[in-house]
Amino acid sequence: MFKKQLTLLAGVFALLIITLGSCKSKYEKLRTSNDNAKKYSEAIKLYNKKEYSKALGLFDDLATRYRGRAEAEDLFYYYSYTNYKLKDYTSARYHFKTFADTYPSSSRAEECSFMYAYCYYLDSPIFSLDQENTNKAIDALQLFINLYPKSDRVPEAGKLIQNLRTKLEEKSYANSKLYLTISDYQAAVISLNNTLRDYPDTKYAEEINFLIIKAQYEYADHSREDFQELRYNQVITYAQQFIESYPTSKYLKDAKDYLKDSQQAVVKVKAVLAEAYGNPKKAAKIAAKDTVKIQPPSEKGNDNKKIPN
């Protein structure tokens, strides 16, 4: 009895293997055939059944054979979406753009132009990585808006652009703080100011303005005496602006402390320089120092780099 069951199971498995093998063989046979019409209809069926990998195998072969033919428009439309469904956004955006450029009068041209930009959007990485695709996505979405200003997709394109700009804002903010973390104070001041310039409505504006005070103070404090007065005065300017702009800030006390310390430091450094003016040895000793006590990367050989206001 047991042997009969084993024989029966073996027969079922054998039949299943033969059936699966014949199905695969049927697909492979079609894929390598010259029956383009049948291959095309089967590719559409596979696409509609969501068997995208198999559909792509047929579309790949048909793409070159159908170029220039009347059926090519439909084929390339499905071909683009097949790559998209498989999450190959690099290939998908290429084919969507090719479709829009090749068939500009098609009712699908607008859709494919949007999808081209949207594939860049989907390929935009997290903010900590390189943002080349983010910038390209913004450009592509803006181009879509310019080309189709009355499109129903324009509001969505605008939202996607805002999402991408927020990501760039996050990266700029994080990079600026990193300069402060690694004690590259001059670069921190420049980068933080650039973040405010590029993203004036940033939600981090209050913190960034305070960090500019902090970075500028550290930059001045680590500078050689004959550079300090100018740099402490810049701290004073930043601190006064902050106190006026954010009178209820949680950073207010620290900003006032930096202001007071910088004012006192200016008085002190003036006295040191006045003494050095009448003492050549002391003046030579000051001049022999590095321009900063602890020389951060951006300062090396770059004493005259301007810090933006």
Side-chain angles (χ1 to χ4, degrees):
M1 182 69 177
F2 183 68
K3 288 184 178 180
K4 287 183 178 180
Q5 289 178 335
L6 286 178
T7 304
L8 181 60
L9 285 172
V12 171
F13 280 122
L15 181 61
L16 187 60
I17 292 170
I18 292 170
T19 302
L20 291 173
S22 64
C23 289
K24 181 180 179 182
S25 176
K26 182 180 177 181
Y27 170 78
E28 290 297 332
K29 187 175 181 180
L30 175 62
R31 194 174 68 84
T32 56
S33 76
N34 292 319
D35 191 344
N36 294 332
K38 186 174 181 181
K39 191 181 295 187
Y40 179 84
S41 64
E42 186 62 25
I44 299 299
K45 288 179 183 178
L46 290 168
Y47 176 89
N48 290 330
K49 286 162 47 176
K50 299 184 180 181
E51 295 185 38
Y52 302 119
S53 294
K54 283 188 175 183
L56 184 64
L58 299 179
F59 282 134
D60 276 337
D61 183 62
L62 290 169
T64 54
R65 302 188 187 195
Y66 270 65
R67 197 175 302 279
R69 292 175 55 174
E71 303 95 327
E73 181 178 331
D74 281 347
L75 185 146
F76 282 110
Y77 178 78
Y78 279 105
Y79 191 26
S80 302
Y81 266 105
T82 302
N83 283 282
Y84 170 76
K85 296 292 186 180
L86 289 169
K87 299 185 179 181
D88 181 359
Y89 301 126
T90 301
S91 297
R93 68 174 177 254
Y94 170 80
H95 292 301
F96 279 126
K97 186 176 188 305
T98 300
F99 183 97
D101 291 344
T102 306
Y103 307 104
S105 301
S106 169
S107 59
R108 297 164 170 168
E110 177 192 315
E111 176 188 355
C112 288
S113 293
F114 176 80
M115 290 303 297
Y116 160 69
Y118 186 58
C119 285
Y120 263 126
Y121 176 85
L122 294 174
D123 257 350
S124 172
I126 59 174
F127 75 88
S128 59
L129 300 179
D130 180 75
Q131 295 299 304
E132 180 181 2
N133 278 349
T134 302
N135 287 306
K136 288 182 177 179
I138 291 173
D139 291 342
L141 287 163
Q142 188 59 58
L143 178 61
F144 172 81
I145 292 172
N146 295 343
L147 290 174
Y148 302 99
K150 296 181 180 180
S151 170
D152 293 339
R153 295 181 175 88
V154 166
E156 184 179 358
K159 289 180 182 178
L160 295 177
I161 288 175
Q162 185 55 51
N163 291 344
L164 294 165
R165 285 178 175 164
T166 297
K167 187 180 294 187
L168 293 178
E169 176 189 325
E170 291 280 352
K171 184 173 183 65
S172 180
Y173 166 71
N175 285 350
S176 299
K177 289 184 70 175
L178 179 61
Y179 283 121
L180 189 54
T181 300
I182 65 173
S183 303
D184 192 345
Y185 303 121
Q186 183 185 25
V189 173
I190 293 171
S191 185
L192 288 163
N193 271 295
N194 286 343
T195 299
L196 287 178
R197 179 199 65 197
D198 295 338
Y199 309 99
D201 298 324
T202 176
K203 62 183 178 181
Y204 302 113
E206 180 182 331
E207 181 185 0
I208 289 173
N209 275 292
F210 171 72
L211 291 177
I212 288 172
I213 299 170
K214 181 178 180 180
Q216 181 64 30
Y217 180 85
E218 294 293 344
Y219 180 44
D221 190 51
H222 287 80
S223 297
R224 199 171 68 191
E225 286 88 341
D226 50 345
F227 285 85
Q228 284 185 322
E229 182 180 354
L230 177 64
R231 293 171 183 177
Y232 277 123
N233 278 328
Q234 187 64 68
V235 179
I236 293 169
T237 299
Y238 285 139
Q240 289 172 336
Q241 291 172 346
F242 183 89
I243 292 167
E244 182 179 348
S245 299
Y246 303 100
T248 60
S249 172
K250 65 179 181 179
Y251 304 111
L252 189 62
K253 181 182 180 303
D254 289 331
K256 287 181 177 179
D257 287 343
Y258 279 123
L259 173 61
K260 181 180 177 181
D261 290 347
S262 296
Q263 289 169 333
Q264 292 174 347
V266 168
V267 174
K268 181 179 177 180
V269 75
K270 280 183 176 180
V272 171
L273 293 177
E275 183 182 350
Y277 184 75
N279 187 331
K281 287 186 178 180
K282 189 161 188 175
K285 186 177 180 181
I286 291 174
K289 296 179 183 178
D290 287 335
T291 54
V292 286
K293 297 172 187 175
I294 301 173
Q295 194 169 8
S298 68
E299 187 70 13
K300 296 177 182 178
N302 200 14
D303 304 329
N304 296 320
K305 182 185 283 187
K306 294 183 179 179
I307 299 175
N309 294 321

